Amino acid sequence: MFSYYDDLNQIKAAGLEYATNGIAAGETDPIESPFSGEWAVGLTGQDVLDAAGIDATFNELEDFEQTDVLDYWEDGYNSASWPM
């Protein structure tokens, strides 16, 4: 990761973009836990990094970095104006 907090902001923006695209496609409710294995979305931490344009390998990040990546993405995702 290049600049940690800049990267996290990019990740948050990618989460918002993902949600906005889903809303535009007709989704009305956010997925409760998008990284849970029970959802068909199948998102991974690597997907998040790739979508944010960050050249890093998720599995090579420290545990706290992996947590931050997923948390920031979810913050962005949940910040969308869901039509619920």
Side-chain angles (χ1 to χ4, degrees):
M1 295 175 65
F2 178 67
S3 170
Y4 195 67
Y5 292 103
D6 288 340
D7 287 351
L8 290 176
N9 286 333
Q10 281 181 245
I11 290 165
K12 188 173 183 175
L16 177 59
E17 181 180 9
Y18 186 90
T20 302
N21 290 340
I23 292 166
E27 294 177 22
T28 58
D29 298 315
I31 299 168
E32 188 174 322
S33 298
F35 299 105
S36 169
E38 73 181 88
W39 300 104
V41 175
L43 288 174
T44 66
Q46 190 62 53
D47 294 333
V48 169
L49 293 175
D50 294 345
I54 297 171
D55 185 24
T57 302
F58 186 79
N59 291 336
E60 294 177 1
L61 299 176
E62 298 290 331
D63 288 344
F64 78 92
E65 292 172 317
Q66 290 180 353
T67 299
D68 285 350
V69 165
L70 300 180
D71 287 349
Y72 270 70
W73 188 92
E74 282 192 76
D75 286 348
Y77 177 77
N78 289 321
S79 71
S81 297
W82 290 93
M84 294 188 265

